[in-house]
Amino acid sequence: MMQKKNRAFLKWAGGKYSLVEHINARLPQANKLIEPFVGAGSVFLNTSFKRYLLNDINPDLINLYNLLKAQPDAVIHDTQRFFTPEYNREAMYYDLREEFNQTSDPYYRAILFVYLNRHGYNGLCRYSLGGRFNVPFGRYKKPYFPAEEMIVFAEKAQRATFTCLPFEKVFSRARKGNVIYCDPPYAPISKTAAFTSYAAHSFGIDAQTRLARLAVRTSAKRHIPVLISNHDIPVIRELYQGADFTNLSVKRSISQKGATRKPVPEVLAYFAPRTSPVKPDLSVIAGNK
């Protein structure tokens, strides 16, 4: 286990910082960790695999990670300029949010993405159906600039490849000897709790079902272990039949009233690679697959 826990440099709904010990305990040894839903990267930052394939459907996030990996000093220096009282004003925030929505310059978008993440309400990442970032101003006294966390991320990113693909394509890149950890947008506890507009794509029950089937197939037929986290609710238990479950209780705000914030039951579902001998596929051996 790593001695010091590393925090992600972005604020992130559903971030896994508080659960990395539990996740680490369930991840088997492997030469590469693949994360189809990397988010802010807490699992990546607190594991010690030789290589990583880190994916997210949000192109702004992956663009930022690639630029931070390639030119950390410049990105950190240029982002820090936006963390002064002058920029922590409502009118300025909305001006910069509009600039972010108007520009297609990857470097400027990356810098503004960090600014909006730290100055926006609750560190949310939300887009309209038209793809416009629409999180309101956060009203923080002095937003924290995560220079140290960005340096740690950039150093570790040298071991990682970042992609922006649908999760199915990421699964297809996995090979024997790898392990896959999935932290998808969670199935809603209630109909009103659905929060799926994170990257202008929803992740409904169809997507949850496709992911579960892919996990079963990948572990059983391709002998690649898959670990998935999600809410511990009946529909998820049903979808993940046959997995080995670890129950977790997570303190997370699902209510705006602080007094009614209760621990939310979550589950880690581990799909072990099938170890029973499999008959060789003679067509593959003959080279006519």
Side-chain angles (χ1 to χ4, degrees), residues 5 23-24 27 54 89 107 146 156 173 187 191 193 197-198 210 238 248 254 260 277 279:
K5 270 177 86 172
I23 293 164
N24 252 321
L27 285 171
L54 306 174
R89 291 181 293 124
Y107 189 82
K156 191 153 191 192
R173 293 190 171 193
K191 286 203 168 77
S197 56
Y198 148 70
R210 287 200 313 276
E238 199 177 317
L248 305 170
I254 54 161
T260 58
K279 287 179 187 171

Side-chain angles (χ1 to χ4, degrees), residues 1-143:
M1 185 66 197
M2 300 187 86
Q3 292 169 335
K4 175 182 176 283
K5 270 177 86 172
N6 294 310
R7 279 199 179 273
F9 70 90
L10 295 171
K11 292 163 135 188
W12 213 251
K16 288 293 169 288
Y17 181 77
S18 63
L19 293 180
V20 290
E21 291 88 353
H22 297 287
I23 293 164
N24 252 321
R26 292 313 315 258
L27 285 171
Q29 284 194 313
N31 56 25
K32 183 192 278 185
L33 175 66
I34 296 175
E35 291 196 61
F37 309 89
V38 68
S42 287
V43 173
F44 156 62
L45 289 165
N46 291 287
T47 49
S48 50
F49 292 90
K50 198 168 155 194
R51 286 176 298 138
Y52 294 86
L53 173 57
L54 306 174
N55 180 82
D56 203 278
I57 202 70
N58 184 330
D60 288 313
L61 188 68
I62 297 304
N63 171 56
L64 166 62
Y65 289 169
N66 273 320
L67 283 166
L68 187 59
K69 174 185 174 180
Q71 39 187 318
D73 296 345
V75 171
I76 293 166
H77 174 267
D78 291 338
T79 307
Q80 188 151 17
R81 291 180 309 158
F82 288 94
F83 283 72
T84 63
E86 178 195 354
Y87 289 102
N88 190 27
R89 291 181 293 124
E90 191 163 3
M92 180 64 83
Y93 174 86
Y94 288 115
D95 283 350
L96 287 173
R97 191 182 77 174
E98 186 55 32
E99 281 194 30
F100 176 82
N101 284 324
Q102 296 283 350
T103 186
S104 56
D105 177 72
Y107 189 82
Y108 193 38
R109 277 184 82 88
I111 288 162
L112 288 180
F113 190 79
V114 182
Y115 165 80
L116 293 169
N117 174 265
R118 286 276 164 185
H119 291 74
Y121 180 74
N122 260 5
L124 287 174
C125 184
R126 194 183 63 196
Y127 299 78
S128 70
L129 288 174
R132 288 172 61 81
F133 189 88
N134 62 4
V135 176
F137 183 54
R139 303 182 189 285
Y140 299 107
K141 278 204 175 87
K142 192 184 177 188

